[in-house]
Amino acid sequence: MRRSQNAPSPWLKRTSRRWSRHPGGGASAYYINSSTPDNTPFDRALIALSRLAQSNNELAQQTMSRVQEGWHALVLAELGDEQIARTVLLLGDGMYYNAAFGGDSANPQRAAAITADRAALERALQVLKAAAN
């Protein structure tokens, strides 16, 4: 039996429960706080997947879509507002892009800038969460 397109996946249900207990404030805070390159195997795999997707690899594009849809569903389930959920995802994506192309994060000045950016996004997230409620 095929699951409805709008029905949450088992992964989404498990992950949603995990992020709802996240001390930083759920899936949206986790997404913002984890939106910096960290050179882990997962991070490198995600970069490789995105490059394949940009090269019109259909499987990579489908996989990236599923990843994005999963995050969207988690943040939307937390916030309950489509536009605010989309805004949170775009903020996190912008944070990642800025950190990835801003230079070496091991440099103390660059690390301080990333920390300041993250703090600014956390404050913005609190405003967005208040608007969603």
Side-chain angles (χ1 to χ4, degrees):
M1 177 163 143
R2 190 169 178 191
R3 160 174 78 77
S4 162
Q5 181 117 4
N6 295 329
S9 70
W11 171 84
L12 176 61
K13 288 178 184 178
R14 286 190 311 274
T15 306
S16 182
R17 284 192 299 270
R18 184 181 319 137
W19 299 140
S20 68
R21 296 186 303 268
H22 187 265
S28 60
Y30 184 85
Y31 191 79
I32 294 288
N33 285 311
S34 65
S35 289
T36 52
D38 54 9
N39 203 30
T40 62
F42 175 78
D43 191 46
R44 290 190 302 273
L46 191 58
I47 290 168
L49 179 64
S50 69
R51 288 184 181 153
L52 286 170
Q54 291 169 351
S55 298
N56 294 320
N57 180 293
E58 189 174 334
L59 181 58
Q61 289 172 337
Q62 291 169 355
T63 303
M64 284 298 293
S65 289
R66 285 195 305 273
V67 168
Q68 291 172 321
E69 289 165 5
W71 273 111
H72 178 262
L74 285 169
V75 173
L76 180 59
E78 176 192 351
L79 301 177
D81 184 288
E82 174 66 35
Q83 291 177 330
I84 292 176
R86 181 78 178 127
T87 300
V88 167
L89 295 176
L90 291 170
L91 288 171
D93 293 348
M95 174 75 183
Y96 188 92
Y97 181 87
N98 190 56
F101 295 104
D104 182 11
S105 62
N107 174 301
Q109 291 173 323
R110 185 68 195 129
I114 290 171
T115 299
D117 288 347
R118 185 177 290 124
L121 289 183
E122 287 173 0
R123 286 190 302 278
L125 179 59
Q126 294 310 313
V127 171
L128 290 170
K129 283 183 172 185
N133 295 325

